[in-house]
Amino acid sequence: MFSGELCLGLWVEGVHRHLLSRSNILKSNYQERLATKTLDVKTLFVKIVTMEKTEERDHVDRWLESAWLEEIPNLDFAVEGIVDRMNGLSRRFKRSLVDTLGEHGLSYEEWDVLGALRRAGPPFQRSAGELAERTELSSGAMTNRLDRLEKAGLVKRLPDPEDRRGVLVQITKAGEKAWLDSAGAAAAHEALIASALSAREKERLNGLLRRLMLEFERREGPQSKKP
């Protein structure tokens, strides 16, 4: 049999080992939790940084916050943001196009007429009245525009074989080249801006815009205008 002192010593040693083992377990658990929390913080940081990069605020965000629009009835801020951004992009694309056309010696109005003739297909001609209707101009304004284009050698007037009083307008080779060159340059500028989107994002954006356009066309009915 063991003496009292020996039993006490063994008991103390056992307790010491138990406490040491328990301490190691707790330390291991704490380190694991700490590592997990650290990983979570790093993951959260990455998510926050990514969100900040992809959700950078533009001038529309700032305007919606400072324009005191809350009292406008039926106003949906999400819809307002969509409309304002589409309008803003349209204006910017139009300014870019006008600048590009100017570099090619054309105004937007002249380019519009040449485009209407080019899209008619061979022999690339339309009546003056049809051109005025397509470009939403009065006959007098169209006459002035055609005068400038004819003087520059970009279009020519021809008698209408089906209407003795009518006139056909035909794009010349020089006019066709001017339109194609300027249209190609404008397309290059547009592609440069659109490069901010991936191919998949462009496809998705086109799909969403198409749905909005179709809704407008349904609401407008047969009288829906192409522009």
Side-chain angles (χ1 to χ4, degrees):
M1 294 186 64
F2 298 111
S3 65
E5 291 181 357
L6 180 58
C7 289
L8 179 61
L10 291 173
W11 180 81
V12 170
E13 183 178 355
V15 171
H16 175 71
R17 288 178 179 177
H18 174 74
L19 293 175
L20 182 61
S21 175
R22 181 64 177 169
S23 174
N24 289 335
I25 292 174
L26 291 174
K27 182 179 180 182
S28 175
N29 290 340
Y30 172 76
Q31 290 175 336
E32 182 178 352
R33 288 197 301 271
L34 180 60
T36 302
K37 288 182 179 180
T38 302
L39 179 60
D40 290 342
V41 170
K42 289 180 179 179
T43 303
L44 179 61
F45 177 73
V46 170
K47 288 181 179 179
I48 291 174
V49 170
T50 303
M51 182 178 66
E52 287 177 349
K53 287 183 177 179
T54 57
E55 296 185 6
E56 185 178 358
R57 290 157 52 80
D58 61 10
H59 75 278
V60 176
D61 292 316
R62 294 187 290 272
W63 181 79
L64 289 174
E65 290 180 358
S66 61
W68 296 93
L69 304 174
E70 293 83 355
E71 297 180 1
I72 299 178
N74 305 317
L75 181 66
D76 185 326
F77 279 84
V79 174
E80 192 67 21
I82 292 170
V83 173
D84 285 344
R85 287 186 175 90
M86 287 196 297
N87 286 336
L89 287 171
S90 178
R91 290 191 299 270
R92 285 164 172 78
F93 276 121
K94 177 70 175 292
R95 286 200 298 265
S96 175
L97 175 59
V98 168
D99 291 342
T100 301
L101 297 179
E103 295 171 0
H104 288 76
L106 292 173
S107 68
Y108 174 80
E109 292 75 19
E110 293 166 343
W111 183 81
D112 194 26
V113 172
L114 294 177
L117 291 172
R118 183 64 172 70
R119 289 189 294 271
F124 305 116
Q125 63 186 25
R126 297 183 191 272
S127 69
E130 185 181 2
L131 284 173
E133 182 180 353
R134 285 182 171 271
T135 55
E136 299 182 335
L137 289 174
S138 66
S139 59
M142 177 54 66
T143 298
N144 292 333
R145 194 171 295 184
L146 291 176
D147 287 343
R148 293 195 301 270
L149 288 169
E150 189 173 33
K151 185 176 181 180
L154 302 179
V155 302
K156 60 183 178 181
R157 289 181 170 100
L158 303 171
D160 188 345
E162 298 180 1
D163 184 355
R164 288 184 300 176
R165 294 179 301 175
V167 174
L168 293 177
V169 181
Q170 186 179 58
I171 193 171
T172 63
K173 291 294 184 182
E176 186 176 2
K177 183 178 185 306
W179 187 83
L180 287 173
D181 289 347
S182 57
H189 281 287
E190 292 167 355
L192 184 63
I193 300 299
S195 64
L197 302 177
S198 67
R200 185 174 181 178
E201 288 170 333
K202 292 174 189 175
E203 183 179 355
R204 178 164 173 73
L205 179 58
N206 261 316
L208 294 173
L209 293 174
R210 185 179 297 111
R211 284 170 59 184
L212 291 176
M213 185 63 72
L214 287 171
E215 183 61 23
F216 260 113
E217 292 176 355
R218 277 191 290 269
R219 290 176 179 271
E220 291 173 344
Q223 302 303 318
S224 177
K225 294 183 179 181
K226 184 177 62 175

